[in-house]
Amino acid sequence: MSPAGRAARRGRWGRWALLTVVPAELALVVCLAAGVAVPVPLVVFAEVLVGCALGAEAVTVARLWRRARGRGLGRREAARAAVRGAVPAPVRRLVAHELLVMASLARWVVRRPHGVGAGDTVAGYAAGQAPLVYGLLFVTVVETVGMAVLLPWPVVHLVVLVLDGWGAVMLLGLHAACAVRPHVVGADGSLRVRYGALVDVRVPAGLIVSARVEHRFPSGRLLRVADGVMELVVGGRTTVTVELDTPVEVVRPLGGRERARVVRFCADDPRATVAALREAGGVRTASAG
C-alpha cells in the first residue's frame, strides 16, 4: 500500500475512534454528574481512550498540514486542507451550523439580515413556523419546571436544567437563523432560496423560465429532491414554484449534492415574491397565481 493510502486508512480509523469514544465520554460525564458510582478503572480507561483518539487525530491533521505545505499552500490554506482531510464533511457542517446559529441570534437582536444587498428584495418564511417554535419553547420551560419539582436530586436538576436550557437556546437560534436568512430576490434577477443555515440554493440571473404562486402540501422532511424537483417545506407547505432553464446544485444539510430544475419553496407573501422576480427581470414568463 502506498504512503498516501496508509495515511488515508489511518485517518479513517482515527475518525471512527473519535466518533466512538467522544459520545462514550459524554455519557460518562453525565453519569458522574448525576452521582452514579462509576468504577475508577473504567474512568481511567475511558480517559486514556479519549486521549489516544484525540492524539491520533492531531497527528493525522499535522501530517496532512505538512503535506499541504509541501505542495506550496500557505499556512491558512494548508490548515483548511488538513481539517477537510481529517474531519468528515458532515461533522464540519454540523459544527459550522452550530456557530452560524449562535451568530444568527446576535443578528436577530440587532435586526441585521444576512446576504441582503442594496436593491435586493427580502422574502421571509419564518412566520409560518413561529407558532410551532414558540409552542415548543413553552413546552421546554414547563418540562424544566416540572422536572425541578418532581425530581428530588439536585445534581439531576442541574443536568436537566443545562440540557433543557441548551435545547431552548438552539431552538430559538434555529428560528433566528430563519428570520435573518430569508429568501432573497436579487436586484439583477437572481434568486437565493434558504432555510436558516441549513439550506442555501443560489439561482443565477437568467435561468428562471417561469415563477408562479402554487400552494402545495408535501409530506415528509424539510428538504426533498427527486426527479429534478426540489421541495423546501416550511410549516408543511410550499407556496412558490420556480422552473429553471438549467438545473442548479442543491447541497443537503450534511453535504450531499443533488441537481434540480424545479424549485419549490415557502414564502410568507408568495405573490410579492413572484412580483419581485418579475420586476427584477429574473423571469421570462411569470404568473402571480
Side-chain angles (χ1 to χ4, degrees):
M1 182 181 293
S2 65
R6 288 195 296 270
R9 185 175 181 180
R10 285 195 297 268
R12 285 194 297 269
W13 279 109
R15 288 193 293 271
W16 277 111
L18 197 62
L19 291 173
T20 301
V21 300
V22 169
E25 171 75 1
L26 293 175
L28 181 62
V29 170
V30 171
C31 290
L32 291 173
V36 177
V38 180
V40 174
L42 180 58
V43 175
V44 173
F45 180 68
E47 297 303 320
V48 170
L49 284 181
V50 171
C52 290
L54 292 175
E57 194 71 5
V59 170
T60 300
V61 171
R63 287 175 175 171
L64 292 172
W65 183 82
R66 287 197 300 268
R67 191 175 302 152
R69 289 285 288 165
R71 297 198 303 267
L73 296 180
R75 292 179 179 272
R76 183 173 297 179
E77 291 76 11
R80 290 175 179 171
V83 172
R84 285 196 299 268
V87 182
V91 176
R92 295 198 309 269
R93 293 185 68 86
L94 286 173
V95 172
H97 179 259
E98 298 286 315
L99 297 176
L100 289 173
V101 164
M102 293 297 104
S104 296
L105 281 170
R107 283 182 173 272
W108 197 31
V109 171
V110 299
R111 299 182 180 276
R112 183 182 176 186
H114 174 272
V116 181
D120 294 346
T121 301
V122 169
Y125 54 89
Q129 67 180 15
L132 175 63
V133 171
Y134 294 133
L136 289 175
L137 282 173
F138 176 76
V139 170
T140 300
V141 172
V142 171
E143 177 195 17
T144 303
V145 174
M147 294 293 282
V149 172
L150 296 176
L151 296 178
W153 307 289
V155 175
V156 177
H157 290 173
L158 179 61
V159 172
V160 171
L161 179 63
V162 170
L163 293 177
D164 283 349
W166 178 250
V169 170
M170 289 304 301
L171 182 61
L172 195 60
L174 288 171
H175 183 61
C178 292
V180 302
R181 294 171 179 270
H183 308 312
V184 179
V185 178
D188 60 351
S190 61
L191 174 65
R192 191 172 181 179
V193 178
R194 301 192 281 188
Y195 183 83
L198 288 172
V199 180
D200 190 347
V201 178
R202 298 172 184 262
V203 179
L207 291 188
I208 301 177
V209 175
S210 67
R212 62 183 180 274
V213 175
E214 184 179 21
H215 294 269
R216 299 175 64 91
F217 301 89
S219 59
R221 49 196 162 189
L222 167 73
L223 176 65
R224 181 176 181 271
V225 183
D227 300 324
V229 178
M230 183 198 95
E231 293 178 327
L232 185 58
V233 182
V234 178
R237 64 175 183 158
T238 63
T239 58
V240 178
T241 297
V242 174
E243 297 181 4
L244 310 177
D245 185 22
T246 304
V248 295
E249 185 176 61
V250 179
V251 181
R252 293 184 176 276
L254 293 182
R257 297 177 184 271
E258 311 258 7
R259 297 190 71 81
R261 197 166 185 168
V262 176
V263 177
R264 293 176 178 145
F265 60 95
C266 182
D268 294 334
D269 191 344
R271 293 178 181 272
T273 302
V274 172
L277 280 168
R278 180 171 64 248
E279 291 171 4
V283 185
R284 298 176 193 172
T285 59
S287 171

